[in-house]
Amino acid sequence: MPVLPKYSNRLLRKLPEPEYQRFVSRLELVSLTLKQLIYQENAPIKHVYFPLNTLVSHVATMQDGTVIEVSTSGNEGMIGLPALLRSERSKFPAFALISGQALRMSVEDFRTEVKRSPALDYILHRYAEVLLIEIAQGRACNQLHSIHQRCARWLLKMHDSVDHDEFEITQEFLCQLLGVRRASISEVASALQKSDLIRYTRGKMSILDRQGLEAAGCECYRVIRSEYERQSPIKNALNGNHR
Amino acid sequence: METIDEQEFRRICEDIRTQEVPTIFQAVADSAERTQLILRAVFRRVCSHLKLDFEAQQVALKDNDGFALFQTLEEHMKPEFFYSGILDQVLLRGV
């Protein structure tokens, strides 16, 4: 029996314990290095991933070469959701934004497991719903909220994903997440540092005041987080409500 | 302080792509290891261009992988440019 990893994937943790132990034992523990390409654009999905303490970003490249984040997943979710939806490909390339570990499984084994486990099937479809909510809320946030608020939201998401107060994130990757130029990132980081919420030096980010950062952000972080945490009891779902 | 511009960085990446990436792809199957080796190769050339000591820079940034490369670029680029897309051309194509 393989040793279970130190960190957890919060999505898989929603499984009933015996199923969790069985499913995780079938996953392979892998290390993802910064900028490692997980999926190429429109390439076949060979593996699905469940991040443990890393963050994976899907990006879109515009005609002028601008690269912008379209969705980002950490240990609250999975990478390779199209495989659940019977798609063979990832439309957008995905790469590791922060080095760390993940659990992975071949797409064939994954589909077999989903078929045999109503609980796994349920939590993954629920995750798909929550991801859509996150993308929609994120769109509203990008249009309505200030860059300071949006930056706070992203830093909180990263903090949740790495499960550590310090991590590395370059200005360019923050630019991709926020869809702004580097000068704006410098300004925002400076403001957050002046408020003693973060320390950001030579790409090393330290979260100093988690509560302060939540207060500095918009409501979108709490809205999205509450959707991830909200769950119907799996027993009730499996008794007929989820299909 | 020495600086690097987009054209210079593109040239470095193209040299790595043609001179070193094919060998790395043939010798190494693991995706994570390939990424690390390619980024390290680019980092060596960038440090050489900037007249920085490669190992000292790794120690200063407490990293021996991509992060040290990215942070070095951000601190020495002039004018600013987006390096991520340029690097993707190297990381994506083995041959």
Side-chain angles (χ1 to χ4, degrees):
Chain A
M1 169 82 79
V3 175
L4 292 176
K6 177 185 171 187
Y7 300 98
S8 291
N9 176 277
R10 286 183 277 145
L11 178 62
L12 294 181
R13 262 295 170 200
K14 296 181 181 186
L15 286 169
E17 188 63 23
E19 287 207 52
Y20 172 77
Q21 297 278 347
R22 190 190 61 75
F23 184 68
V24 168
S25 70
R26 298 206 59 199
L27 293 160
E28 177 191 7
L29 183 66
V30 294
S31 292
L32 301 181
T33 193
L34 174 62
K35 197 58 178 168
Q36 179 182 342
L37 196 66
I38 312 298
Y39 300 136
Q40 292 196 32
E41 183 176 354
N42 287 321
I45 295 173
K46 295 180 183 175
H47 293 92
V48 297
Y49 295 78
F50 296 90
L52 298 176
N53 62 344
T54 179
L55 207 58
V56 175
S57 196
H58 286 81
V59 296
T61 303
M62 303 290 107
Q63 281 188 349
D64 66 354
T66 303
V67 177
I68 190 160
E69 178 268 356
V70 293
S71 77
T72 299
S73 297
N75 62 18
E76 81 290 346
M78 67 171 289
I79 313 300
L81 192 62
L84 176 74
L85 306 176
R86 300 185 186 176
S87 175
E88 302 299 324
R89 298 175 180 275
S90 174
K91 163 66 182 167
F92 299 105
F95 70 93
L97 196 59
I98 296 176
S99 296
Q101 293 183 314
L103 295 168
R104 80 171 183 186
M105 174 180 272
S106 74
V107 70
E108 295 82 14
D109 287 348
F110 171 70
R111 287 179 173 147
T112 300
E113 288 292 326
V114 172
K115 276 186 192 161
R116 70 184 278 197
S117 172
L120 180 63
D121 180 80
Y122 171 74
I123 67 163
L124 293 175
H125 278 88
R126 172 76 182 120
Y127 169 66
E129 179 202 0
V130 173
L131 188 60
L132 287 172
I133 293 171
E134 178 173 12
I135 291 170
Q137 186 76 27
R139 187 179 172 198
C141 182
N142 290 346
Q143 290 199 330
L144 298 174
H145 295 146
S146 72
I147 183 177
H148 294 78
Q149 291 172 311
R150 289 162 50 211
C151 188
R153 173 168 70 88
W154 273 112
L155 291 177
L156 289 166
K157 181 172 175 116
M158 285 184 229
H159 194 211
D160 289 342
S161 293
V162 302
D163 203 19
H164 198 271
D165 290 340
E166 294 181 352
F167 49 90
E168 295 163 346
I169 184 82
T170 61
Q171 285 195 343
E172 174 145 329
F173 290 150
L174 283 171
C175 289
Q176 288 179 5
L177 290 173
L178 293 166
V180 299
R181 303 199 78 81
R182 208 167 273 132
S184 300
I185 296 297
S186 294
E187 183 199 324
V188 171
S190 180
L192 293 174
Q193 288 194 95
K194 279 187 183 156
S195 302
D196 292 326
L197 301 180
I198 65 169
R199 184 174 58 244
Y200 188 42
T201 306
R202 304 194 77 185
K204 309 281 188 184
M205 178 69 69
S206 301
I207 305 297
L208 303 179
D209 182 351
R210 167 84 192 199
Q211 283 186 335
L213 204 56
E214 289 190 31
C218 49
E219 74 263 33
C220 299
Y221 171 75
R222 286 186 297 279
V223 166
I224 295 167
R225 176 98 189 212
S226 69
E227 286 296 329
Y228 276 109
E229 290 174 351
R230 183 173 69 87
Q231 52 183 324
S232 304
I234 286 187
K235 274 187 188 173
N236 288 347
L238 297 182
N239 283 339
N241 297 331
H242 77 293
R243 289 190 187 276
Chain B
M1 185 175 76
E2 298 288 335
T3 61
I4 185 168
D5 64 27
E6 182 174 346
Q7 283 306 111
E8 289 163 338
F9 184 62
R10 281 188 184 277
R11 192 174 62 244
I12 286 172
C13 288
E14 182 59 19
D15 286 347
I16 294 292
R17 192 184 72 78
T18 54
Q19 296 167 13
E20 298 191 40
V21 169
T23 305
I24 290 172
F25 266 63
Q26 280 180 359
V28 177
D30 179 70
S31 174
E33 197 179 339
R34 279 178 179 175
T35 301
Q36 286 182 332
L37 288 171
I38 292 170
L39 292 178
R40 200 167 295 157
V42 174
F43 187 37
R44 279 188 188 277
R45 299 257 186 137
V46 166
C47 284
S48 175
H49 175 86
L50 294 172
K51 298 184 175 57
L52 295 171
D53 183 278
F54 170 70
E55 286 169 5
Q57 194 66 2
Q58 289 180 317
V59 170
L61 291 169
K62 297 177 188 166
D63 179 81
N64 61 356
D65 288 327
F67 172 73
L69 165 63
F70 307 146
Q71 191 59 31
T72 299
L73 284 171
E74 292 193 1
E75 292 175 1
H76 290 267
M77 59 169 62
K78 191 172 184 178
E80 288 184 1
F81 61 90
F82 286 103
Y83 51 81
S84 190
I86 300 171
L87 267 172
D88 284 345
Q89 305 304 311
V90 188
L91 294 172
L92 280 172
R93 297 181 195 163
V95 291

